[in-house]
Amino acid sequence: MAIRSLASLLLFAFLMLALTGRLQARRRSCTGVYWGQNTDEGSLAAACATGNYDFVNIATLFKFGMGQTPEINLAGHCDPRNNGCARLSSEIEYCQERGVKVMLSIGGGGSYGLRSTEDAKEVASYLWHSFLGGSAARYSRPLGDAVLDGIDFNIAGGSTEHYDELAAFLKAYNEQEAGTKKVHLSAAPQCPFPDYWLANALRTDLFDYVWVQFFNNPSCHFSQNAINLANAFNKWVVSIPAQKLFLGLPAAPEAAPSGGYIPPEDLISQVLPILKDSDKFAGIMLWNRYHDRLSGYSSQVKSHVCPPRRFSNILSMPVKSSK
């Protein structure tokens, strides 16, 4: 009996070592990037082909709401006014085939806002039928027939109201239209809490991913030690219901004129060890692909960003005792 018990313990130890190896081998990149604001950043397909990104936010739908005709600006990549951006459909599908979630970012520096519940409903309808799972004939599809994975709220101007309603209307389409792809919602608030523009929206449980911008905000920058940044990040952890929070970073010093750049070696050695203690920490979001292409930031940090995949269903299985 003692020999059988010892054999069982040795087998269990071997399985745990093998599982640990699998966990390390399957360490994944949990990195996102904004694409679309510089023609020198290369194509969308080329960005996804690097294998460095789990998320790409196409930026930006810079005009919407307040009775305006919505407009997308991809900074010279294509001209939506002559349907020139429809060719991106195949690149979007290429990215999705590689497991990359492709989102449309709305807001940024532009002319937008929501003046009423009806305005939010109309913008949601436009987004659903123009970029997501809808197909109403009165809407064109600026990026072609590819169905995006969701909408990113990068709100930094205009009104502060009705974004919670916009999020609710977008999520409701999945319930109304059975069989359509799930709509993911993300947001890019500024790191001082609460965010001025999206405070009400982020109090809901509608957002799947929140990439908090830890740049151009000196009060929560990394400054030779990670405590200041960690305290600011923890405020978000305990204050909003979203379960996946990302550290929003510039991919190079030039990407953030007001500061916030963290050298890769400092991110790896000082910041990530602290943030990984939070179950809500899910990775990093970089601004933007152009700067990341030049600096190689994502390539330098991607193997350190995310914890290994957890096989909780395996680890929680009961171990049979020997008799």
Side-chain angles (χ1 to χ4, degrees):
M1 182 182 299
I3 294 175
R4 291 179 62 186
S5 297
L6 178 60
S8 297
L9 288 173
L10 290 173
L11 176 62
F12 180 75
F14 174 79
L15 290 173
M16 290 299 98
L17 286 171
L19 181 57
T20 300
R22 289 180 64 195
L23 290 175
Q24 295 300 328
R26 298 190 62 175
R27 181 180 291 274
R28 68 204 189 277
S29 168
C30 289
T31 301
V33 72
Y34 280 85
W35 176 93
Q37 288 301 293
N38 193 308
T39 53
D40 290 334
E41 67 196 338
S43 70
L44 176 61
C48 294
T50 65
N52 289 347
Y53 311 118
D54 289 318
F55 307 87
V56 174
N57 290 332
I58 296 178
T60 307
L61 186 79
F62 74 101
K63 183 183 290 188
F64 62 85
M66 302 186 296
Q68 304 176 99
T69 300
E71 290 186 37
I72 190 170
N73 182 345
L74 297 183
H77 281 286
C78 54
D79 187 350
R81 295 170 296 182
N82 62 14
N83 204 35
C85 296
R87 64 174 176 79
L88 290 175
S89 182
S90 61
E91 296 192 43
I92 292 167
E93 291 173 345
Y94 170 82
C95 292
Q96 292 169 332
E97 289 167 0
R98 294 180 65 86
V100 179
K101 286 184 171 59
V102 184
M103 319 271 283
L104 174 69
S105 185
I106 66 173
S111 171
Y112 52 85
L114 302 173
R115 60 190 178 190
S116 66
T117 299
E118 285 303 310
D119 201 10
K121 184 180 293 186
E122 176 55 36
V123 171
S125 179
Y126 167 78
L127 292 171
W128 173 254
H129 292 288
S130 298
F131 301 99
L132 301 170
S135 58
R138 75 185 182 99
Y139 296 99
S140 64
R141 293 190 70 87
L143 302 180
D145 293 333
V147 178
L148 297 183
D149 294 287
I151 303 297
D152 173 54
F153 290 48
N154 184 14
I155 307 303
S159 63
T160 62
E161 301 298 321
H162 306 294
Y163 286 105
D164 53 342
E165 294 175 303
L166 175 60
F169 287 135
L170 287 169
K171 285 287 190 177
Y173 275 113
N174 276 148
E175 300 175 6
Q176 299 166 5
E177 312 254 352
T180 55
K181 180 186 292 188
K182 179 181 178 180
V183 173
H184 294 276
L185 297 182
S186 64
Q190 303 292 312
C191 62
F193 186 89
D195 181 73
Y196 179 75
W197 308 105
L198 289 172
N200 290 335
L202 290 172
R203 291 190 184 100
T204 72
D205 62 353
L206 298 172
F207 287 84
D208 303 284
Y209 316 110
V210 177
W211 10 83
V212 186
Q213 296 184 43
F214 276 78
F215 54 98
N216 295 335
N217 290 285
S219 64
C220 48
H221 285 175
F222 169 83
S223 299
Q224 305 307 315
N225 72 76
I227 301 303
N228 192 46
L229 183 150
N231 288 338
F233 190 86
N234 188 60
K235 181 68 174 178
W236 285 94
V237 167
V238 302
S239 301
I240 65 171
Q243 293 300 303
K244 294 186 177 181
L245 302 184
F246 290 67
L247 187 66
L249 297 173
E254 298 78 16
S258 298
Y261 175 73
I262 304 176
E265 60 273 17
D266 291 335
L267 181 74
I268 293 168
S269 66
Q270 298 190 51
V271 178
L272 292 178
I274 296 176
L275 297 190
K276 284 182 177 180
D277 287 339
S278 169
D279 289 337
K280 286 190 175 185
F281 176 71
I284 64 173
M285 172 60 71
L286 297 176
W287 179 266
N288 55 25
R289 168 60 182 161
Y290 168 72
H291 291 288
D292 189 41
R293 187 183 186 188
L294 294 179
S295 68
Y297 197 96
S298 62
S299 296
Q300 296 177 65
V301 305
K302 69 176 183 178
S303 64
H304 301 273
V305 169
C306 280
R309 296 186 188 276
R310 294 184 174 88
F311 295 87
S312 56
N313 58 327
I314 297 176
L315 294 176
S316 61
M317 291 174 60
V319 178
K320 294 181 180 180
S321 60
S322 299
K323 295 183 180 179

